[in-house]
Amino acid sequence: MLDIWGRKNSSNVIPVMWVVGELGLEHQRHNIGGSFGGDDSEAYLQLNPNGLIPTITDHGFVLWESLAITRYLCRKYGMGTLCPQDSQQAALADQWMDWCKSMLMPSLMPVFVNLIRTARPAQDRAVIDRGTAATIQCLGLLEQHLQTRTYILGDSFSMGDIPLGAMIYKFFNLDIERPALPAIEAWYARLCERPAYRQHAMIPFGSSLEEWLELEQAGA
């Protein structure tokens, strides 16, 4: 049995659950972290000494770190589909997954955290504006890349689309000004046609801290 520890609306848990949905893996998810707490318990720290989510156990094998888990599941259960068999194509998927973690997330997540997970009096408009500008600049590279591709690697959906796709849902549903990004918008529309994306990545997050917490508990 595959066990997954992490609340379903966590930015780091969403890609893992999306993979699980795409592959139809039998699993059990345990609510932990955020308003559920438990990530600092002795039992959980024995699994993940960082006290962060997600963590998985797969028939006794323990693994933490979102991208490591995503790659592991794709390679073990989705080789030839989500994970390309060609080593160069797999490396390109890895490249874009890492780019999402190192470039897009550091730009977009401060915007998300300030607008959604911070009480309005404490929101930092300067951080929101800088993060929005940095995100749009960052996405210029992705827009150029997707102008000649249906998905990140070309014609086929792969693990390279998953972390980026999870982030792009936030981008298109935050209350920020966005320029026209036709290639990204077309790619996003294709992702929205995937049942696993709709179930696991398109998770409403509201427009305030209060709504975020309510939706977190309601979506358990």
Side-chain angles (χ1 to χ4, degrees):
M1 170 67 78
L2 174 65
D3 284 277
I4 303 161
W5 279 265
R7 53 187 171 81
K8 66 182 292 184
N9 67 341
S10 161
S11 297
N12 288 320
V13 174
I14 287 169
V16 174
M17 293 306 302
W18 184 6
V19 169
V20 167
E22 290 285 348
L23 296 173
L25 299 179
E26 184 180 357
H27 68 284
Q28 183 173 3
R29 186 182 57 79
H30 309 272
N31 281 317
I32 195 170
S35 63
F36 297 100
D39 47 351
D40 58 352
S41 69
E42 182 178 352
Y44 185 70
L45 290 172
Q46 288 180 355
L47 291 174
N48 186 340
N50 301 289
L52 300 173
I53 55 174
T55 301
I56 67 165
T57 59
D58 185 22
H59 299 88
F61 173 64
V62 180
L63 186 65
W64 33 264
E65 288 296 326
S66 178
L67 289 186
I69 295 168
T70 298
R71 290 180 173 115
Y72 166 77
L73 294 176
C74 289
R75 287 171 178 154
K76 181 172 182 180
Y77 298 106
M79 181 58 71
T81 55
L82 293 185
C83 181
Q85 289 183 320
D86 179 83
S87 60
Q88 292 184 353
Q89 288 295 297
L92 288 171
D94 283 340
Q95 168 188 276
W96 282 101
M97 294 169 75
D98 286 344
W99 182 84
C100 179
K101 191 78 169 183
S102 65
M103 297 297 292
L104 181 58
M105 288 186 72
S107 300
L108 181 58
M109 286 308 295
V111 181
F112 179 79
V113 169
N114 264 272
L115 286 176
I116 304 302
R117 299 190 60 184
T118 303
R120 283 192 174 90
Q123 290 176 1
D124 190 327
R125 192 70 240 179
V127 170
I128 294 168
D129 292 343
R130 283 198 305 270
T132 300
T135 298
I136 290 168
Q137 182 178 12
C138 186
L139 287 176
L141 178 61
L142 182 62
E143 172 70 14
Q144 183 178 13
H145 178 76
L146 286 170
Q147 284 178 0
T148 58
R149 296 168 178 85
T150 305
Y151 296 103
I152 293 298
L153 294 186
D155 293 334
S156 299
F157 176 82
S158 74
M159 65 184 185
D161 295 277
I162 288 176
L164 285 166
M167 283 292 102
I168 215 68
Y169 173 77
K170 288 181 169 59
F171 175 72
F172 279 120
N173 287 276
L174 285 168
D175 184 17
I176 56 176
E177 291 189 13
R178 291 174 291 272
L181 296 165
I184 292 177
E185 291 163 13
W187 169 67
Y188 174 58
R190 287 188 285 272
L191 296 181
C192 291
E193 295 174 357
R194 306 186 72 86
Y197 185 72
R198 293 197 299 269
Q199 180 179 358
H200 296 292
M202 299 178 72
I203 299 176
F205 48 73
S207 60
S208 67
L209 176 60
E210 294 77 16
E211 289 182 9
W212 162 266
L213 292 172
E214 290 176 5
L215 288 166
E216 183 170 84
Q217 288 291 323

